Amino acid sequence: MCSNRTLTLAILATICNAPLFGSLNRAIIDFAAWRKLGVVAWADFSRHADLGPGVLLYPLEAVGGALFTLAAALSYHIDAKSHRSAAVPIHLAALGVVGGLLLTRKAAPQMLNLRTISDTDTAALQSAFDRFTFWSYLRLAAQATAWLANLWTVAATSAALS
């Protein structure tokens, strides 16, 4: 049996990580559109979105989701009544959020460099776009794993409390 604390933390982790799972839209739809519209359009949009409100919101989502996920994992291990059915998803979620944060350390500099790259330097913009999308696809895999594992953790801990 798992504690209400672990379940609550897993629910909060799922909520915080949900927008990061929304990166699936970016990977499948947005990146394809940016390839057609060009890197200047991508850079202009990104400067207003990712480097605008996103510069505060995205780290809060990622760090908040990671903290709640890791807190849920810690709570699970501290709880003497932990049900083993939650072991796999809770560890998978923790690995996913840590992986997502580590991969963000590779993707974020590409985005942040847009502040200094001129729109006339299309080669540098293309390079930044290519590197950002590469790391973003890997991040998506980690973040999607974390979110789906968070859902699985909620289901497993809810069932254990029943």
Side-chain angles (χ1 to χ4, degrees):
M1 191 165 196
C2 290
S3 71
N4 283 324
R5 176 189 62 231
T6 300
L7 176 59
T8 300
L9 290 166
I11 290 169
L12 291 170
T14 304
I15 292 167
C16 286
N17 285 322
L20 299 176
F21 184 71
S23 298
L24 181 63
N25 178 71
R26 177 176 260 191
I28 294 173
I29 298 168
D30 295 353
F31 288 156
W34 293 128
R35 281 188 184 85
K36 290 183 181 183
L37 293 171
V39 292
V40 174
W42 167 73
D44 191 42
F45 174 84
S46 296
R47 288 181 189 120
H48 288 90
D50 299 298
L51 298 176
V55 82
L56 294 174
L57 182 61
Y58 296 152
L60 285 175
E61 291 171 349
V63 172
L67 289 176
F68 282 123
T69 299
L70 296 174
L74 181 62
S75 173
Y76 174 81
H77 284 285
I78 290 172
D79 192 352
K81 301 180 290 182
S82 292
H83 194 276
R84 295 297 114 193
S85 67
V88 171
I90 210 155
H91 291 107
L92 196 56
L95 286 172
V97 296
V98 170
L101 291 175
L102 291 174
L103 291 164
T104 297
R105 291 193 58 194
K106 297 298 239 172
Q110 310 315 313
M111 181 60 65
L112 295 172
N113 283 341
L114 292 180
R115 292 177 174 152
T116 60
I117 302 173
S118 167
D119 282 350
T120 59
D121 192 351
T122 55
L125 289 175
Q126 186 65 54
S127 179
F129 176 77
D130 291 342
R131 288 191 310 263
F132 182 75
T133 56
F134 173 79
W135 292 111
S136 291
Y137 286 128
L138 295 177
R139 269 188 327 157
L140 170 62
Q143 292 166 339
T145 297
W147 186 71
L148 292 169
N150 284 143
L151 283 177
W152 184 9
T153 300
V154 170
T157 53
S158 294
L161 284 171
S162 300

